[in-house]
Amino acid sequence: MIGLAALEAELTRQLSLIGFGGADWTRPRAHPQGHVFDVIIVGGGQSGLAAAFGLLRERVSNILIIDESPAGYEGPWETYARMITLRTPKELNPIDFGVPALTYRAWWEAQHGPSGWEAVDKIARGDWMEYLRWYRRVLALPVRNDTRLNAIEPVGDGLHKLHVEGQAALLARKVVLATGIQGGGEWHTPDMVKHALPRHLYAHTSEPVDYGSMAGKTIGILGGGASAFDNANAALTLGVSEVHVFIRRKVLPRINPIRFMERVGFTGRYPVLSDTEKYAVMVSFLGHNQPPTNDTFERAASWPGFDLHLASPWTGVEHVDGKVRVTTPHSTHDFDFVLLSTGLVSDPALRPELAGLSPHIARWADRFAPAGERNALIDAHPYLGPGFELLPRTPEGEALLHGLFAFNYSALISLGLSASALSGLQTALPRLVRGVTDQLFLDDRDMLIADLIAYDEAEFVGEWPRREAAA
C-alpha cells in the first residue's frame, strides 16, 4: 500500500498529463439579480459529483453543486440505504472518467494493498461513501450543502432562477437534476396504507427509520425487492423481535436483468435503439423486481424472527388499538409498525421543483404509441433528448425547458441504465457532459463565430527576406 497522500500526488500528475484545467471557453452572462452560473447541478451524490468533474474536464468551471443534506451525507449511503454491500460488481469504474488514480480500486489499494483488493467480494456501503467524500475533496468540487431547491423558474434569455429554501435565489444557464433514484418522481405509497394509517405507524424503505427504538416489536414489510431484505436485516440486528415480508408473487424474484445488460453492452448502447425497441425492453425490465443478493437473503432467512409470506398481497390495512392489522388472502397479522418496499413512480408532475414547468414537459405517452398494450409506468416518464435534456410537449415549452437536464432515474426509459445507476454511469456521464456543453456552445455560437472571424492574434513571427541577409 502506498497511502492516500502518495495516491493524491499521482492523481495530480495524471490530471496534468491529460491536460485537466485551463481557461474556460464559455462567455460570461450578467444579470442584475446576481451571478450567473453556466451550470448548477442539483444533487451532490455520486452522479452530481461526477457530472461536475466531467464539466471541469471540458473547461466549464463556472459551476455549482447544491445539495439539501449536510456535507458528507449526500445520497442514500448514510441515510436510508441499509444494505451491507453494494449490489454492483466491484470491477465497475463508474465515475473516474478513465483516470486510473481516481478509481475506487486505486483508492482502496492505496490503503489496503493489492491483496486487500483481491479479498473484497463486493464494495461495502460505508466504504463507497468514504470514497465519494475523498473524490469530492481531492477534486475540490464546488458543493454548497444544506441548500434545498424549492422551484425552478425560467426568467428569459435562456436563464433559470433556482429558488432555494431560506437563501437567496441562484441563477444558471443550465440546470442538471442529478437527484437520484427518487428525483424524477416519488416513492410509491399505496392508498390503502396512506388512507388507513397515521404517519407514525409506517414508512417507506427510502426514509430514515429508528429501528433501535423498536426493540422487541414486530414489523411487517410489503414488497419483496432487495430493499425489503436489507431492512429486515437492519431491523433484526437492532433488536426488532419479528419481521414478516409479504410478496404477491408465488416465488421470489430470481432474475436480475441488470447483470445481462452489463455483460452485453446494453448500458452503453441502449440509447441507439428505436422507441419501439426501448418500449419492449423496458416492459420486460420493469416486470422484474430486483432480487436480493444471495448473501442478503441468507442472512435474513437465518434470523429466528424472520418470516416470508409468498403469494400474500395485502388486501386490507386497518389501524386497530394502536397497531396495524394487515389482511392477506391467507391470514391476518397485527404489527407495531409496517414498512413499504413498494418502489417508485417517475413523473415530472410529482416533483415540486418542476411544478410550474410540468405541463410543458413531454412524456413517453406524448411521443410514442406502442402497437400493443400501453404501460402506464413507462408512459409517465419524461421523453428525453440524447443528452438527457427535457423536451417540450407544448410550443411554449421549448423556450421554458431549454437548459434543463434530467440526470436522475426518470431517464431510464429514454436512455437506459444511466443516471443514479452505478452500472450505467460510465457511459451516461459523457453523454450528459456532451449534451450540456453542446448547448452552451450553440447558445454562444454567434459570439464565438464572430470572435473567430475577428481573431487576429499573430502566432507566426518569421520574416522574409531575413534582416541579416538584407544587411
Side-chain angles (χ1 to χ4, degrees), residues 29 51 57 65 94 103 116 145 194 226 291 314 322 329 360 381 395 406 436 453:
R29 296 288 181 93
R57 292 178 77 242
I65 305 168
T103 61
N145 287 96
K194 190 186 305 182
W314 289 3
H360 304 287
H381 282 70
V436 173
I453 293 172

Side-chain angles (χ1 to χ4, degrees), residues 1 90 105 108-109 111-121:
M1 65 193 73
K90 70 176 184 178
R105 178 174 179 175
W108 182 262
E109 288 189 352
Q111 302 168 89
H112 305 283
S115 61
W117 175 252
E118 293 303 319
V120 172
D121 177 28

Side-chain angles (χ1 to χ4, degrees), residues 184 261 266 269-287 344-348 362-365 367-368 370 374-385 388 406 408-419:
M261 298 171 87
F266 256 89
R269 308 280 80 80
Y270 173 91
V272 301
L273 295 175
S274 69
D275 285 353
T276 300
E277 292 163 334
K278 289 178 180 178
Y279 209 91
V281 166
M282 285 302 159
V283 166
S284 173
F285 180 84
L286 295 176
L344 73 157
V345 177
S346 290
D347 184 344
R363 275 73 156 180
W364 268 77
R367 297 293 186 101
F368 178 74
R374 300 205 74 111
N375 184 299
L377 287 176
I378 292 176
D379 286 348
H381 282 70
Y383 187 97
L384 303 178
F388 294 87
N408 52 42
Y409 203 64
S410 71
L412 175 68
I413 312 303
S414 295
L415 294 154
L417 284 174
S418 51

Side-chain angles (χ1 to χ4, degrees), residues 167-231:
Q167 302 179 37
L170 301 167
L171 294 168
R173 298 176 62 188
K174 310 297 170 191
V175 180
V176 175
L177 297 170
T179 42
I181 194 168
Q182 80 281 11
E186 67 181 15
W187 298 104
H188 175 56
T189 299
D191 287 341
M192 68 185 310
V193 173
K194 190 186 305 182
H195 295 159
L197 301 180
R199 194 62 182 86
H200 69 278
L201 288 180
Y202 73 92
H204 197 280
T205 55
S206 64
E207 297 176 272
V209 180
D210 183 10
Y211 290 122
S213 68
M214 301 183 194
K217 296 188 176 182
T218 62
I219 291 178
I221 301 180
L222 176 61
S227 67
F229 294 89
D230 293 334
N231 279 269

Side-chain angles (χ1 to χ4, degrees), residues 141-170:
L141 298 175
V143 185
R144 184 185 296 181
N145 287 96
D146 303 303
T147 302
R148 181 182 180 87
L149 174 65
N150 287 334
I152 299 174
E153 177 194 0
V155 292
D157 196 27
L159 301 183
H160 296 276
K161 179 186 288 188
L162 278 64
H163 297 271
V164 293
E165 197 167 293
Q167 302 179 37
L170 301 167

Side-chain angles (χ1 to χ4, degrees), residues 142-444:
V143 185
R144 184 185 296 181
N145 287 96
D146 303 303
T147 302
R148 181 182 180 87
L149 174 65
N150 287 334
I152 299 174
E153 177 194 0
V155 292
D157 196 27
L159 301 183
H160 296 276
K161 179 186 288 188
L162 278 64
H163 297 271
V164 293
E165 197 167 293
Q167 302 179 37
L170 301 167
L171 294 168
R173 298 176 62 188
K174 310 297 170 191
V175 180
V176 175
L177 297 170
T179 42
I181 194 168
Q182 80 281 11
E186 67 181 15
W187 298 104
H188 175 56
T189 299
D191 287 341
M192 68 185 310
V193 173
K194 190 186 305 182
H195 295 159
L197 301 180
R199 194 62 182 86
H200 69 278
L201 288 180
Y202 73 92
H204 197 280
T205 55
S206 64
E207 297 176 272
V209 180
D210 183 10
Y211 290 122
S213 68
M214 301 183 194
K217 296 188 176 182
T218 62
I219 291 178
I221 301 180
L222 176 61
S227 67
F229 294 89
D230 293 334
N231 279 269
N233 279 313
L236 291 164
T237 299
L238 291 172
V240 169
S241 176
E242 295 181 20
V243 174
H244 295 251
V245 174
F246 298 81
I247 70 172
R248 67 178 184 273
R249 300 169 187 256
K250 295 180 180 179
V251 296
L252 279 169
R254 299 186 179 276
I255 309 302
N256 186 353
I258 295 176
R259 298 291 89 89
F260 177 82
M261 298 171 87
E262 290 166 348
R263 287 199 301 268
V264 303
F266 256 89
T267 48
R269 308 280 80 80
Y270 173 91
V272 301
L273 295 175
S274 69
D275 285 353
T276 300
E277 292 163 334
K278 289 178 180 178
Y279 209 91
V281 166
M282 285 302 159
V283 166
S284 173
F285 180 84
L286 295 176
H288 294 280
N289 277 4
Q290 186 177 22
T293 59
N294 290 308
D295 58 323
T296 299
F297 173 75
E298 291 300 330
R299 194 178 306 116
S302 69
W303 287 97
F306 177 83
D307 202 353
L308 177 62
H309 303 265
L310 300 173
S312 297
W314 289 3
T315 56
V317 177
E318 301 173 84
H319 182 208
V320 180
D321 297 329
K323 296 203 172 197
V324 180
R325 179 162 295 169
V326 169
T327 303
T328 77
H330 311 293
S331 56
T332 299
H333 305 262
D334 286 344
F335 296 112
D336 297 297
F337 189 80
V338 293
L339 200 66
L340 307 174
S341 179
T342 45
L344 73 157
V345 177
S346 290
D347 184 344
L350 300 173
R351 299 306 307 170
E353 67 270 17
L354 296 174
L357 297 170
S358 173
H360 304 287
I361 297 173
R363 275 73 156 180
W364 268 77
D366 301 313
R367 297 293 186 101
F368 178 74
E373 185 178 351
R374 300 205 74 111
N375 184 299
L377 287 176
I378 292 176
D379 286 348
H381 282 70
Y383 187 97
L384 303 178
F388 294 87
E389 64 270 32
L390 291 170
L391 297 178
R393 77 196 301 187
T394 64
E396 59 269 35
E398 185 168 356
L400 294 173
L401 301 177
H402 183 74
L404 300 183
F405 297 80
F407 198 61
N408 52 42
Y409 203 64
S410 71
L412 175 68
I413 312 303
S414 295
L415 294 154
L417 284 174
S418 51
S420 81
L422 281 174
S423 298
L425 280 177
Q426 184 182 55
T427 52
L429 284 162
R431 291 181 188 277
L432 170 73
V433 172
R434 176 73 177 268
V436 173
T437 53
D438 278 0
Q439 263 200 23
L440 286 167
F441 181 83
L442 291 174
D443 289 351
D444 288 348

